[in-house]
Structures are given as structure tokens and as C-alpha cells.
């Protein structure tokens, strides 16, 4: 009997990175550890940290491990695994992540954009199982995206495709981290919810948001706004309806472009899926061409914050299959 081959899966975030083992045959991810990224220490130190975890995982595996795959938060050039100007990882412009990790570990290392890999993970193992055409949106601090078309991740000419958070939904709207104005990310991300809640708290100090803001020296955050919305606070509920409307606007463009069977929404803000999805659906019903309206389901993601690891498993597993 052929020994099963395991792969290493990783997901680099601005505050933490995860690393574990994956079995492409059974679709299992295990032995996952979560470690502080220490973003301030720069790419060299961080990549050495990741390489050390990868090597320890490879040594702990009962079979030979040859391949690792990791998601990183920023545009990744598909041809060579170089990260290009990631907005949330300062100092990482043009870092050859794949080549560096390969040199440090001796493994073949595949690198993808974190939201792209999460899209792949949800499509293969999560809420999008069975769908060959899928759009994934992660709504958290920022908004990222991934498009699976005919069962394959859509990468574009350079590997940068599906930056769905930077679709403009309000001309002249608030400034976005990308330098543009009125992007979906600037209006519907967790950061945008917190900013809009703070504006209401300032304008209406007697409101529920005003009272909550006074108890929080760090300022309001999206989970606090969600808690208030669930308690029936009208301003907090309004903010999530607004999130639904903006997501609906952005997704109108995306659905018209890609005709997916499923839209999967993940990220921390998806905890409030029930609060924003009615407004989102209403917006889609109002704006989608009739032919598109009934053919697309909008669902909440199933894999939580390990979707990226399952995407890495998919990427590494497909590589093993293709190179067998
Ligand atoms: Zn933007």
C-alpha cells in the first residue's frame, strides 16, 4: 500500500499565523498551532519563524512531507510567489515568500492570497461544497475576496484577481486603505462599522452607542455594535442594514460579472449574517437582472478562521496530484 502523503498548511495574518499538517486524501487538517506574527519585526524574522514551525511539523509527521502551502494577506504574484505591496504588512513590498521559505525549509512552497485560499477552502470543504462557480467574501478588519470559476481559482493575469473589497460602491465616499474612495471595504468592513458607530456616538451622546462608547477607552468595535443590535438598539441595527445594502451593491457587480451559484460570506462580521443579510438580499433583488435573481444563493461561511488552511490543503493537494 502506498504511504499517504501529508502536506504542511499555513496562514499568515497581520497579528497571528497558523501552521499545521493536512491530509489531502481525507481532507483533514490537524496539529494546528497559532503563533503571534510580530509584524513589527519585519519579513526576515517572520519568515524564519514560519520556516521553523514548518520544519518541526515536517519532522513530526509519520510520512515524508514535500510540499507546503501558505496564504498571505496581500496581492501575491502567481508566477513566483512574491508578495507585492500588501496594505496590512508594512515592509513586505516585493518579498519573495515562496523562494525564501523554500530555501529555509527545503520544501516546495506554494503561496496564495489569504482570501483566495479561503475561497478555495470553502468551495472544497465548507459552505460551497459542490458548487463549481463560487464567490467568497471575507468581511473583517478589511474585505477580501476570491472567485472560483468552473472549479478553479481565478487568478487573473498576475495573480491579483478578486480584490472584491475595492469595488467602488459610493463615488466620493470615505478614504480606503488602498488610497481610493468609497470602496466596499471603506463602507462595510468591521473597521467601517466601528468608524460609523463612533460618528453616531459623537452626534448622539444620549444614544445606546453613545453610552457604550463612554465605557470603551479603545473605542467602539464591530462586535460591540453587533451586541447592541441584538439587544434592539435602533442605531446599531441601522448600521448592519447599511452594511447589507453596501454588500448588496458590491455583490451586484460581482454576480453580474461571474454568475456564481453561491456567494459565501466569511470573516468576523459574518457573525452578524442574520442582521445584514435581509438588506443584502433586498438590494440584490432590486438590482440584479431578472435572469440572475433566483440562480444565486448567499450563505454564511462554514469553516470560520481556518478556511485559509483548508484552501492551503486544496492548493498543496492539487499540486501533489498534478506532479504525481
Ligand atoms: Zn480600496
Amino acid at each position: 500500500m502506498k504511504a499517504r502523503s501529508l502536506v504542511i498548511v499555513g496562514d499568515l495574518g497581520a497579528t497571528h499565523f497558523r501552521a499545521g499538517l493536512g491530509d489531502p486524501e481525507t481532507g483533514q487538517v490537524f496539529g494546528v498551532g497559532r503563533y503571534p506574527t510580530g509584524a513589527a519585526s519585519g519579513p526576515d524574522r517572520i519568515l524564519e519563524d514560519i520556516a521553523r514551525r514548518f520544519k518541526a511539523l515536517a519532522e513530526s509527521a509519520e510520512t515524508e512531507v514535500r510540499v507546503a502551502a501558505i496564504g498571505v494577506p496581500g496581492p501575491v504574484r502567481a508566477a513566483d510567489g512574491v508578495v507585492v505591496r500588501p496594505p496590512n504588512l508594512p515592509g513586505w513590498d516585493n518579498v519573495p515568500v515562496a523562494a525564501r521559505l523554500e530555501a529555509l525549509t527545503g520544501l516546495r512552497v506554494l503561496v496564495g492570497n489569504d482570501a483566495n485560499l479561503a475561497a478555495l477552502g470553502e468551495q472544497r470543504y465548507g459552505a460551497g461544497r459542490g458548487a463549481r462557480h463560487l464567490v467568497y467574501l471575507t468581511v473583517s478588519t478589511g474585505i477580501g475576496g476570491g472567485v472560483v470559476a468552473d472549479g478553479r481559482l481565478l487568478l487573473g493575469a498576475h495573480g491579483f484577481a478578486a480584490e472584491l473589497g475595492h469595488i467602488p460602491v459610493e463615488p466620493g465616499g470615505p478614504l480606503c486603505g488602498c488610497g481610493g474612495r468609497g470602496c466596499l471595504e471603506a463602507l462595510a468592513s468591521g473597521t467601517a462599522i466601528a468608524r460609523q458607530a463612533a460618528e453616531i456616538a459623537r452626534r448622539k451622546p444620549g444614544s445606546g452607542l453613545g453610552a457604550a462608547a463612554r465605557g470603551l477607552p479603545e473605542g467602539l468595535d464591530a462586535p460591540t455594535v453587533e451586541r447592541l443590535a441584538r439587544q434592539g438598539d435602533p442605531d446599531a441595527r441601522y448600521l448592519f442594514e447599511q452594511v447589507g445594502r453596501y454588500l448588496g451593491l458590491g455583490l451586484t457587480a460581482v454576480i453580474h460579472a461571474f454568475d456564481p451559484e453561491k456567494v459565501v460570506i466569511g470573516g468576523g462580521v459574518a457573525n452578524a449574517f442574520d442582521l445584514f443579510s435581509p438588506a443584502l438580499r433586498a438590494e440584490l433583488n432590486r438590482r440584479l437582472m431578472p435572469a440572475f435573481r433566483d440562480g444565486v444563493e448567499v450563505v454564511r461561511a462554514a469553516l470560520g478562521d481556518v478556511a485559509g488552511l483548508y484552501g492551503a490543503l486544496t492548493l498543496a493537494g492539487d499540486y501533489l496530484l498534478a506532479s504525481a
Side-chain angles (χ1 to χ4, degrees), residues 216-267:
L216 291 167
E218 305 274 290
L220 287 162
D221 54 14
T224 304
V225 181
E226 183 194 338
R227 186 170 47 77
L228 285 171
R230 294 201 185 285
Q231 290 164 4
D233 182 88
D235 295 316
R237 292 189 73 85
Y238 167 80
L239 284 178
F240 280 102
E241 280 161 27
Q242 189 171 268
V243 163
R245 280 194 295 274
Y246 282 123
L247 290 175
L249 264 177
L251 284 173
T252 298
V254 175
I255 292 167
H256 279 145
F258 299 109
D259 184 19
E261 305 155 67
K262 261 190 192 168
V263 173
V264 177
I265 301 187

Side-chain angles (χ1 to χ4, degrees), residues 289-300:
M289 288 169 66
F292 289 77
R293 238 169 260 162
D294 301 323
V296 59
E297 217 185 324
V298 181
V299 298
R300 190 180 163 184

Side-chain angles (χ1 to χ4, degrees), residues 12-16 37-39 73 88-89:
L12 173 62
T15 59
H16 289 86
T37 300
N88 298 320
L89 280 177

